[in-house]
Amino acid sequence: MNTDGGYAPLELTWVLAVLAPDLMASGRVMKPYGRAVTALVVSIWAALALAQGYPNRAIRLVVPNSPGGVIDILARLIAPKFSEGLGQPVVVENRVGAGGVIGAEIVAKSDPDGYTLLAAFDSFTVNPFLFKDVSYDVARDFTPVALLVRSPLVLVATPRLGVTRFPDFVQLAKIRGSALNAATAGPGTPSRLALELLSSAIGIDPTLVHYKGGGPAIVDVLGAQVDVMMPTLPSAASYIKSGKLVALAVTSDKRHPLAPEVPTVAEYYPGFQAHNWVGIVAPAGVRREIVMRLNAELLKTVKLPDVRESLASRGYDVVGSTPEAFAAWMRAETESWGRVVRERRITLD
């Protein structure tokens, strides 16, 4: 019973579950409906009981890329506070392979009990268009929990390219055509996809040079072996501040506090956007009560002053969405990047 003398939801459903058969037998509830009422209150009682007891053991947070990577760092940043809020350990588990596909498939096939989660990132919605044997469907096989953070990419150039303004770069790129080289972190990475989107928007066709990771790619741009790249803003910020790279434009809808002097692509090509993002998803079928518990604790975690400050220092904007907003975000990302992959005929070759 509540402190005000009323029954708590769980207590009330227990009372109804006990009384419903008696009501039916006494004729005060018609028998066909009495059975339905009994079944309904018992199912509600079971759901509430499950949610009230959740979690009662450790939760596995699958990170589908390598230890020390951006997603791994973020997951390990939030895990301790997330764990405190839930009252159970949150264990980060790296399951690497196929650009995040392996980790996603593991979570998709896990029991929908709220004890296995995936740190999904931008490639999550793109991979089904790039890999032939992906066994999951983003919309069908996962339950969105929360979009946590997002960060723009930034078009950077070696100073030797001789341009410092985005319009000058566009003009030069149209003149040079395929003679302009652009580095990517790999053929299926956001840095490649963002370059394809930019190339389509401004009507250029640079030669893409694919690397095995963002580190080697940015090193070659620093050494002027490649002309341009579109890394995440956080990963390039120190090089921009030191003058080792020239920032030409960011891909967010507004200028970013980490580089307020750098214009957005959208200032020249309205509607252009591309983000790195990280969110949490669970297998399809997780109960609503559990999803909302996870969502509440995640939002509480990313909005803690020390966590928010740490994320901001890395160039991440805290979003902290509802499950419904995250579902809408993933649908939009799936549609947008699917169109880019088809129109640009992007493959992993």
Side-chain angles (χ1 to χ4, degrees), residues 153-155 166 170 194 197-198 201-202 230 248-255 262-274:
L153 293 89
V154 57
L155 176 66
F166 183 68
V170 173
L197 183 63
L198 181 68
I202 65 181
M230 291 187 79
L248 299 171
V250 294
T251 61
S252 48
D253 54 342
K254 298 178 182 178
R255 295 195 181 199
V262 181
T264 67
V265 177
E267 290 176 35
Y268 301 93
Y269 296 90
F272 186 99
Q273 283 193 62

Side-chain angles (χ1 to χ4, degrees), residues 155-199:
L155 176 66
V156 295
T158 171
R160 295 187 190 178
L161 191 61
V163 294
T164 58
R165 298 174 61 252
F166 183 68
D168 297 333
F169 163 76
V170 173
Q171 184 177 10
L172 178 65
K174 289 184 176 181
I175 293 171
R176 292 187 59 176
S178 61
L180 181 78
N181 295 321
T184 82
T189 60
S191 65
R192 190 266 176 92
L193 294 167
L195 275 167
E196 295 277 11
L197 183 63
L198 181 68
S199 298

